[in-house]
Amino acid sequence: MSHPFQCLLYCPQPEAGILVAASGPYIHTFNARQGILLSSWPSHQGVESPKDFKNHTIVESKTYESYERPLKRQKFSSVEDDSDGTSVEIVVDDEDGDSTKTAANPPIIKLAGTSNGSFVVAVTGEDKCIRVFELSQDGELKQLSERQDPSRPMPKRPCAIILTPDDSTILCADKFGDVYSLPLMGELNEDITKSISIDGDLNDKINGSHRKPFVPSANSLTVHTKRNQEALRQQQKIKKPKVEKKALNFDYRLLLGHVSLLTDIACVSLPSPSRKPREYILTSDRDEHIRISRGIPQAHVIEAYCLGHTEFISKLCVIPAHPQLLLSGGGDDYLTLWDWPSGSIRQKIDLRGHVEDIRRKYNMKMISTKASMGIQDNKHVEEDSAGRITVSNIQTLEATEASVSDLLRTIIVVTCEGIPALFVFTTIGQCEVQFNETIIPKGNIVDMVVLQNQSLIVYSMDTVHEAFSTSIVADNEAQKSRPSIGTLTLDQVTLHWKHNAEPYNELINTMEQCGKRHRIVSHKGAAKGKYLKDLIYGLGSLRKRTGEGSESRNTV
């Protein structure tokens, strides 16, 4: 089965826009107008151009014995089965058909880019690394040396990144609830190395200083059983110094923190009549809170909270034409439109009704098809009858309606995990949001990106799982016939969408062929589909179990 593109990013360039797409641990760049594959990262030895790339295969094999042992146990993307301890490895088939190991890069989970398209920021969550690339006009990705060492991760696993409006600073939100700022073009600090010991103590070490000797935390007064006393004696024989793990050796600062897992972040600049524009940082968490903080360097100052969701918040989207308005969505049955400077709700937009409408039509079609084949199977109906909504993406596109005196409208496109649909909304009147239409693709939406200057939406689809499901794997024939990429072009006159319009057929074909180079091969004894499900359907795990966190809903 081919690996889908789990992350998409558009980088505007003077000559032509560049589409950046991540498939597993690989990043590919495409010419958005001509549909040409420009480059891939990481490159492989002996490969001179994208045309020479050999087939890459993601397989399940024994644990990483050939790699350097990490200082701290890390959980890598796994297709695991407790019976044999299998995991994911990346191999490249050479000319003789033999498989050779490549760098064990974890999959890309987030992509971000500067407004001029000159730099791309990529996050690999499992090793907690942020990598910064310089993107040339010919689409080549050059990794900057100061971010190149993967042994220098962030303190906690990043879950969202964004750049400030001036493109000089990266804002990184992690799953511990903290937001850090990092310079996009930070320089190495050779005089002082910040290091974190295994027990979690933060120490600023000057080069040449001695490391602390290892001392067991227990002693003879706290250990009583025979087994523990023997373990203590073995620990006391250790004479090696305490091992320290290097952290980032360039400047980074803690800006703010939540008491819950962070899910998304946005940075907004509002005009001010008396002084320069003021920046704000908007952050959402698993506990249904949206916090409004001042920008750097006053991020510790809280301006307001937006409270009104009853489930986790997974996505924030600021309306570009009206930056004081924020659209949020997550595990609730609706989207919420906020006047975020005041923390007040302007509108709640139903989402459940539109999801149930297409789900009902799909189930009726499946039952009818199976009945005509003599099959009585209501598996899809039973599994998804109580399906919950998880908003995975919210994007905006500015359009001018020529029939109404060149009225500028904002088109909002929303997708949900495990749902084969794009829900289209538009702003009307005093920025009220109304439902427009539902666009049905041929598979569950994984990610999408808006190419504003081309009035184009490129979206990636899951070819592995059945529609409306994140767990049922389709048969091999169905997977082969499903496309992994689609496009929607907006007619600026009629405001109607065109599916896979002719100018972008070459882009679709090129991305399809590129995606097929990365295959997920299932082996006996592995947990089928777990690796892919965790990668593309991870937001649903944010939902709390019954009774969990009930006390925190009324507190900030």
Side-chain angles (χ1 to χ4, degrees), residues 1-17:
M1 60 186 78
S2 61
H3 199 297
F5 292 100
Q6 74 270 15
C7 294
L8 299 174
L9 173 70
Y10 177 65
C11 295
Q13 292 279 1
E15 297 297 330

Side-chain angles (χ1 to χ4, degrees), residues 70-77 104-110 121-132 143 146-161 170 172-176 180 182 196-198 200 245-250 252:
L71 295 176
K72 182 178 179 181
R73 182 174 296 177
Q74 298 179 4
K75 180 181 178 182
F76 284 89
S77 58
N105 292 323
I108 307 295
I109 62 170
K110 295 290 180 181
V121 184
V123 175
T124 50
E126 293 168 359
D127 61 358
K128 301 180 289 187
C129 280
I130 296 178
R131 293 175 169 85
V132 178
Q143 185 174 349
E146 59 265 26
R147 307 307 203 283
Q148 191 168 5
D149 187 356
S151 67
R152 296 171 181 156
M154 293 296 292
K156 299 295 179 181
R157 175 172 175 164
C159 60
I161 56 170
I170 302 170
C172 171
D174 64 31
K175 294 203 170 185
F176 197 68
Y180 291 88
L182 303 86
I196 302 177
S197 60
I198 284 182
K245 185 174 75 171
K246 292 181 180 180
L248 293 175
N249 62 344
F250 52 88
Y252 70 104

Side-chain angles (χ1 to χ4, degrees), residues 27 32 49 52 57 80 144 196 203 224 234 312 367 369 388 399-400 412 422 447 454 472 478 480 482 488 496 518 547:
I27 303 176
S49 68
D52 298 324
T57 307
E80 292 188 355
L144 301 185
I196 302 177
N203 305 288
H224 304 289
Q234 295 298 328
F312 65 90
I367 294 173
T369 301
R388 295 176 176 178
T400 303
I412 303 167
L422 296 97
D447 197 15
Q454 301 181 41
I472 300 178
K480 292 178 181 179
R482 289 180 180 175
L488 289 171
H496 291 159
H518 307 282

Side-chain angles (χ1 to χ4, degrees), residues 275-524:
R275 53 185 181 274
K276 64 178 183 180
R278 170 172 287 183
E279 291 186 3
Y280 297 87
I281 300 174
L282 285 57
T283 48
S284 62
D285 63 29
R286 188 191 181 203
D287 285 340
E288 309 97 36
H289 302 143
I290 300 175
R291 169 175 160 170
I292 313 300
S293 309
R294 290 185 184 179
I296 302 172
Q298 295 181 313
H300 60 280
V301 179
I302 303 174
E303 290 286 340
Y305 278 96
C306 297
L307 305 177
H309 282 278
T310 60
E311 289 285 354
F312 65 90
I313 304 164
S314 57
K315 205 66 185 175
L316 301 177
C317 179
V318 176
I319 309 299
H322 306 279
Q324 77 281 6
L325 297 181
L326 172 70
L327 190 64
S328 62
D332 288 310
D333 294 341
Y334 51 84
L335 304 171
T336 305
L337 183 67
W338 305 86
D339 183 282
W340 61 261
S342 63
S344 59
I345 298 176
R346 294 193 58 156
Q347 185 183 359
K348 287 189 177 182
I349 304 105
D350 175 64
L351 199 57
R352 165 66 66 180
H354 306 304
V355 172
E356 290 301 325
D357 182 51
I358 61 171
R359 193 197 304 273
R360 182 171 53 254
K361 294 178 181 178
Y362 174 79
N363 286 337
M364 292 176 62
K365 180 180 178 181
M366 290 295 297
I367 294 173
S368 176
T369 301
K370 291 181 178 181
S372 64
M373 300 171 61
I375 302 174
Q376 297 296 327
D377 183 8
N378 293 337
K379 177 172 57 175
H380 294 83
V381 180
E382 293 173 358
E383 182 195 14
D384 294 323
S385 59
R388 295 176 176 178
I389 295 174
T390 300
V391 175
S392 59
N393 207 340
I394 305 175
Q395 297 284 344
T396 61
L397 175 65
E398 299 299 326
T400 303
E401 190 172 356
S403 60
V404 191
S405 303
D406 294 333
L407 177 65
L408 181 66
R409 288 181 179 268
T410 299
I411 297 176
I412 303 167
V413 184
V414 180
T415 61
C416 301
E417 274 193 353
I419 304 295
L422 296 97
F423 302 100
V424 182
F425 301 83
T426 55
T427 58
I428 59 172
Q430 296 296 320
C431 300
E432 180 183 355
V433 176
Q434 73 170 12
F435 175 73
N436 191 356
E437 63 177 312
T438 300
I439 299 172
I440 309 296
K442 295 183 178 180
N444 297 337
I445 301 297
V446 176
D447 197 15
M448 65 173 173
V449 65
V450 172
L451 284 64
Q452 186 73 44
N453 59 351
Q454 301 181 41
S455 299
L456 175 71
I457 293 178
V458 178
Y459 57 88
S460 61
M461 291 173 283
D462 177 12
T463 61
V464 177
H465 297 90
E466 291 281 5
F468 291 99
S469 176
T470 61
S471 58
I472 300 178
V473 178
D475 57 68
N476 292 333
E477 291 301 322
Q479 293 181 26
K480 292 178 181 179
S481 62
R482 289 180 180 175
S484 61
I485 291 292
T487 62
L488 289 171
T489 309
L490 180 67
D491 189 324
Q492 291 284 356
V493 177
T494 63
L495 296 185
H496 291 159
W497 296 95
K498 297 179 181 179
H499 290 265
N500 302 332
E502 181 66 29
Y504 302 103
N505 284 344
E506 188 64 30
L507 175 64
I508 295 174
N509 294 335
T510 303
M511 295 186 71
E512 289 279 3
Q513 293 301 318
C514 183
K516 289 179 180 178
R517 293 194 180 107
H518 307 282
R519 295 181 292 109
I520 307 172
V521 182
S522 298
H523 281 223
K524 185 178 180 180

Side-chain angles (χ1 to χ4, degrees), residues 41 50 61 86 164 190 252 259 315 322 380 391 405 439 544-545:
W41 179 92
S61 60
T86 56
T164 53
E190 300 293 346
Y252 70 104
V259 294
K315 205 66 185 175
H322 306 279
H380 294 83
V391 175
S405 303
I439 299 172
K544 297 177 182 178
R545 298 179 179 89

